[in-house]
Amino acid sequence: QVQLKESGPGLVQPSQTLSLTCTVSGLSLTSNSVSWIRQPPGKGLEWMGVIWSNGGTDYNSAIKSRLSISRDTSKSQVFLKMNSLQTEDTAMYFCARTSGGWGQGVMVTVSS
Amino acid sequence: DVVMTQTPVSLSVAIGQPASISCKSSQSLVGTSGKTYLNWLLQRPGQSPKRLIYLVSKLDSGIPDRFSGSGSETDFTLKISRVEADDLGVYYCLQGTHFPYTFGAGTKLELK
């Protein structure tokens, strides 16, 4: 059974860096791509970026300068790092397999 | 970026009645492979999104055939033949042809 689970700090201070981890089970990262998507409270969905099965990445140009996605295939983990956080980055952050399956999400609040 | 325009914003339907949601893209979603990467997702209250349909009309595993997807190029439709209580939530279309991937703003399905 495919499962994805996000983890990370619930609160981040403005201007700091957000680090999130997506731990997957039931699938191999070397044959599946994983995206990060976020959803501000009460709002719609924004695709942030993807790490492909070959390890290559693509990012949303709107946040590309602040975003980095990487992985550790031996630990079945995908990482998101985003710097210079502002209050508008407050959102639920999801990881999702491109061919279906989303994590439960992790709420991140940017506040001092 | 490709703009995905969903209509209606909300939909009130009685149990057992049909429902239809439209999604129009600002440019053709036919990729260089000839495939059209248009997905439909459902986000039930308090849950993460779940993919229902991919490649315009292919149902994900476990999705009842009450759901169907159709369309081509820039014009797509999700139909539910007979709405059930479990179908309530917000429906999103998602294009995966052009970077960045983009979502529609969502259609909230409520019970009449």
Side-chain angles (χ1 to χ4, degrees), chain B residues 32-54:
Chain B
T32 54
S33 63
K35 294 182 178 180
T36 302
Y37 296 93
L38 187 282
N39 307 278
W40 289 98
L41 302 92
L42 167 60
Q43 186 173 30
R44 296 184 175 95
Q47 296 186 18
S48 58
K50 177 180 181 178
R51 196 178 71 174
L52 306 174
I53 289 173
Y54 63 100

Side-chain angles (χ1 to χ4, degrees), chain B residues 58-78:
Chain B
K58 297 185 180 299
L59 264 62
D60 271 286
S61 176
I63 303 303
D65 61 6
R66 301 182 290 104
F67 291 90
S68 64
S70 63
S72 62
E73 299 282 349
T74 62
D75 214 329
F76 305 93
T77 302
L78 172 70

